[in-house]
Amino acid sequence: MPESLDRRSLLRGAAVVGVGGVAGFVVARTSGAADATATGAANAPGADTAGSGETLADLADVPDGGGLVLPGPRVVLTRSGSTVHAFSATCTHQGCTVSDVTDGRILCPCHGSAFDAATGAVLTGPATRPLPAVAVAVRAGAVVRTAGG
């Protein structure tokens, strides 16, 4: 016959789960996995025409001097002239999806973090890490995710 769970065992189990959760959070927060490793920029005149990739948006849909947040692939595209930058649309603070690109800044609605639209660098916290770059290219008037992104 199975033993019943006593209060002391239940509290020990809850403590182990709590400590494990905190340790996992600390390790994930300090991990370099979310750091940008690619530039995430594509220049239309020198666009990479080799290979294929997922089409994210038409270049014409990304406002010059602004940007476009794509919630499905969770990517934010920004544009300055013919240069397009792409970053993860997941805020590095607590995982909210960024909402807007305004005045050269990518904005997170949850806690007010702001990131540079050209580099993904943190401009205003509480986020402390930049948005990871997503590798893109401009092909035939479309912004496509490349193998590195």
Side-chain angles (χ1 to χ4, degrees):
M1 184 165 165
E3 289 185 34
S4 64
L5 186 63
D6 65 3
R7 184 171 183 225
R8 181 174 287 161
S9 296
L10 180 63
L11 290 174
R12 275 191 210 134
V16 168
V17 169
V19 168
V22 169
F25 173 78
V26 169
V27 168
R29 181 140 174 98
T30 59
S31 168
D35 291 341
T37 57
T39 62
N43 190 342
D48 174 16
T49 57
S52 64
E54 172 190 7
T55 299
L56 297 174
D58 288 334
L59 181 61
D61 292 337
V62 183
D64 191 5
L68 180 64
V69 178
L70 305 171
R74 291 183 68 124
V75 172
V76 59
L77 303 174
T78 64
R79 179 176 169 198
S80 178
S82 61
T83 301
V84 175
H85 298 277
F87 305 97
S88 168
T90 303
C91 180
T92 57
H93 174 236
Q94 287 191 345
C96 293
T97 302
V98 298
S99 63
D100 195 21
V101 180
T102 304
D103 298 325
R105 299 163 25 116
I106 301 168
L107 306 174
C108 180
C110 294
H111 302 104
S113 292
F115 303 88
D116 184 275
T119 66
V122 176
L123 297 174
T124 305
T128 59
R129 292 176 292 141
L131 293 174
V134 174
V136 295
V138 177
R139 296 187 188 134
V143 180
V144 296
R145 184 187 315 239
T146 60

